[in-house]
Amino acid sequence: PQYINGIYVFEFEKEITIYYDNNYTVKDANLNVTGRTILYYPDDYPIGGKDEILKDTETKEKGKIKINHYIYDEQDNKHTTKELAPSEEITKEIGQEYETKPKEKIPSNYECINTEPEGHKGTIEKGTKEINYYYKLKTPTVESDTESSIISGGKQDQQGNWEITKGEPIKYEIKYTSKIKDYKGKALIEVKAQLPEGTGIDETKSELAGGTYNKETNEITWTKQIENIDTFAHIGETTSNNNPDNTTDVGAISNRPQYINGIYVFEFAKEITIYYDNNYTLDDIGLKITGKTILYYPDDYPEKGGQNLKEEEKQEQHKKSGSIIIHHYIYDEQDQKETQEKIAPDEQIIGKIGDTYQTEPAKQIPENYECTNEKPEGHTGTIEKKPKEITYYYKLIK
């Protein structure tokens, strides 16, 4: 016995050897130990006195339940011992009931896969019993789309081939959209534009909108790393951010990320101007666009921290381009003659073969002229490989 800072401590410890009187098969060979401490009133206490019990405390032996919260690697079908949350303990007297539950406060990108593991509830026994709950990383999804178009430049011959003149600017528009769901972490966005095979560009003149040109592959590349995406924190919300602090440009993608009901939406749009380095006659002058979104494992994930979790690549379904040429000519009513004298500049519609188009009379014409054929043959239709020419005529108002 000893005193420790005003507390009397009595420690009892014995080793015993038991010889049982027969053969037995039992569930548990441990002893069930009970300790009892009795305190008494002072002998001269006015009520009670000698041998009158003041406090009687009986302590039964206790058992322990340890509750672990581990990560389950779904890809490798592996139960790890990496803790997602700190373990918990329940200590009770042997024979008492207990019940455990999955951890409520866990990272939002994880979910429990065994809500009622073996032994999740029962009766306290001697020693320590461990209950393991496992949590898997939620599987993110990525939906993406790519699109490109020719804004201006180039000319088709009668067979539908495209003629490019050295030094002539060809303007393109490139779009890529990535929608990320059920994800928390960083992402890498990469967009590539493949130029027509066999061509080269004048890098000193071409305007690539922050992209990087690779002469070997004849590609232009834009990339962006995005930090701190958390779709779970924006469920039921719609937010936008035109100038985010959590993005890092490598090739200067200007973006407009936003959350739409728990979906992170990244939109990429660029206009570029290409000056080709020579004269070319091509079957098609369109670009081939590929967009890629890469998601990563959390940095503290067992064995795979920071590695690629998901890679989604979307390549535009490439269609060749065709053109519509629109002329605006004067009609000589007096001589009833269709001239080729321009009243307004020619217009060009460039689109993908199979797309629909619609034309209309010019709006910027002198006030003393009016259109004589507001719906000429072919004013609407479908773009084909060979170019179409649509002519509007305008007469002088008398």
Side-chain angles (χ1 to χ4, degrees):
Q2 60 179 331
Y3 288 97
I4 300 176
N5 193 25
I7 299 174
Y8 181 82
V9 180
F10 181 87
E11 295 179 338
F12 170 88
E13 185 176 338
K14 292 290 183 180
E15 288 186 5
I16 62 174
T17 303
I18 302 295
Y19 291 86
Y20 288 95
D21 60 357
N22 212 328
N23 298 329
Y24 296 98
T25 299
V26 295
K27 185 178 180 180
D28 185 6
N30 288 303
L31 303 178
N32 190 0
V33 178
T34 300
R36 186 179 183 189
T37 299
I38 303 174
L39 305 179
Y40 298 91
Y41 282 100
D43 290 343
D44 57 355
Y45 197 77
I47 300 176
K50 188 176 182 180
D51 297 330
E52 187 73 23
I53 294 176
L54 168 63
K55 189 176 185 67
D56 188 345
T57 302
E58 183 175 84
T59 304
K60 294 183 179 180
E61 190 173 7
K62 295 181 178 181
K64 184 185 293 184
I65 304 296
K66 185 181 179 185
I67 309 158
N68 300 312
H69 303 283
Y70 293 143
I71 291 175
Y72 169 73
D73 188 332
E74 186 176 30
Q75 185 176 9
D76 293 345
N77 191 22
K78 181 180 180 181
H79 295 80
T80 77
T81 54
K82 172 70 175 180
E83 286 190 340
L84 179 66
S87 61
E88 304 162 278
E89 292 185 354
I90 298 174
T91 302
K92 286 186 175 183
E93 293 180 354
I94 293 173
Q96 289 188 324
E97 300 292 319
Y98 74 89
E99 184 173 357
T100 66
K101 294 181 180 180
K103 191 80 170 178
E104 291 184 1
K105 293 184 178 180
I106 60 171
S108 54
N109 53 334
Y110 284 86
E111 59 185 351
C112 184
I113 64 169
N114 61 333
T115 56
E116 294 184 353
E118 183 179 355
H120 72 283
K121 63 179 179 179
T123 303
I124 298 289
E125 299 173 357
K126 185 179 179 69
T128 300
K129 183 177 183 179
E130 294 197 29
I131 312 297
N132 296 331
Y133 286 92
Y134 289 96
Y135 305 81
K136 73 172 184 177
L137 194 63
K138 292 181 180 178
T139 304
T141 60
V142 179
E143 293 182 5
S144 57
D145 194 25
T146 56
E147 183 183 347
S148 67
S149 60
I150 304 167
I151 299 174
S152 64
K155 183 180 179 181
Q156 279 188 294
D157 61 22
Q158 292 302 312
Q159 287 71 44
N161 295 314
W162 286 88
E163 296 178 351
I164 296 177
T165 303
K166 179 181 179 180
E168 174 194 8
I170 312 292
K171 291 188 176 182
Y172 299 92
E173 184 177 38
I174 301 161
K175 293 182 179 180
Y176 174 66
T177 302
S178 180
K179 297 179 179 179
I180 302 170
K181 186 179 180 181
D182 293 333
Y183 182 67
K184 183 179 181 180
K186 63 183 179 180
L188 182 69
I189 305 292
E190 180 183 82
V191 180
K192 288 182 178 289
Q194 176 79 55
L195 279 76
E197 185 177 356
T199 64
I201 70 172
D202 185 337
E203 295 182 62
T204 62
K205 291 184 177 180
S206 296
E207 299 169 7
L208 306 183
T212 302
Y213 177 65
N214 184 324
K215 190 174 182 178
E216 297 291 326
T217 61
N218 206 24
E219 288 179 326
I220 305 166
T221 302
W222 298 263
T223 60
K224 175 184 280 290
Q225 183 167 299
I226 307 170
E227 304 286 346
N228 304 321
I229 296 173
D230 189 349
T231 64
F232 306 99
H234 294 85
I235 293 175
E237 297 180 11
T238 296
T239 62
S240 63
N241 185 0
N242 292 338
N243 215 355
D245 295 328
N246 64 338
T247 57
T248 304
D249 283 319
V250 185
I253 290 180
S254 72
N255 66 317
R256 292 185 177 180
Q258 58 181 339
Y259 289 97
I260 301 177
N261 192 23
I263 298 174
Y264 183 85
V265 181
F266 181 90
E267 295 178 332
F268 165 90
K270 290 288 184 182
E271 288 187 6
I272 63 173
T273 302
I274 300 296
Y275 290 84
Y276 289 92
D277 61 357
N278 216 325
N279 298 330
Y280 294 100
T281 299
L282 304 169
D283 185 49
D284 185 41
I285 61 171
L287 306 178
K288 295 180 180 179
I289 308 301
T290 302
K292 183 189 294 184
T293 298
I294 302 175
L295 308 180
Y296 300 90
Y297 282 98
D299 289 339
D300 57 354
Y301 196 84
E303 300 180 9
K304 298 178 181 177
Q307 297 180 23
N308 288 11
L309 168 63
K310 189 177 185 68
E311 186 172 313
E312 178 75 14
E313 185 173 277
K314 180 73 172 183
Q315 189 170 35
E316 182 183 18
Q317 186 176 358
H318 185 69
K319 293 182 180 180
K320 294 181 179 180
S321 302
S323 64
I324 308 297
I325 308 299
I326 308 162
H327 303 293
H328 302 283
Y329 293 151
I330 291 175
Y331 174 72
D332 187 335
E333 188 176 26
Q334 183 174 350
D335 295 340
Q336 295 187 354
K337 181 181 178 181
E338 295 175 343
T339 75
Q340 290 190 344
E341 184 179 347
K342 293 182 179 181
I343 195 172
D346 289 346
E347 299 173 82
Q348 185 181 38
I349 297 174
I350 301 176
K352 304 294 176 66
I353 294 174
D355 290 352
T356 59
Y357 71 88
Q358 184 170 346
T359 66
E360 59 182 17
K363 294 180 179 179
Q364 301 295 325
I365 60 173
E367 294 181 356
N368 56 335
Y369 279 85
E370 62 182 2
C371 183
T372 65
N373 61 336
E374 294 188 351
K375 293 182 179 181
E377 182 180 354
H379 72 282
T380 63
T382 302
I383 294 176
E384 300 173 357
K385 176 177 173 58
K386 293 183 179 181
K388 292 183 181 180
E389 295 190 48
I390 313 297
T391 303
Y392 288 90
Y393 290 99
Y394 305 81
K395 70 177 182 178
L396 189 63
I397 301 172
K398 294 182 179 180

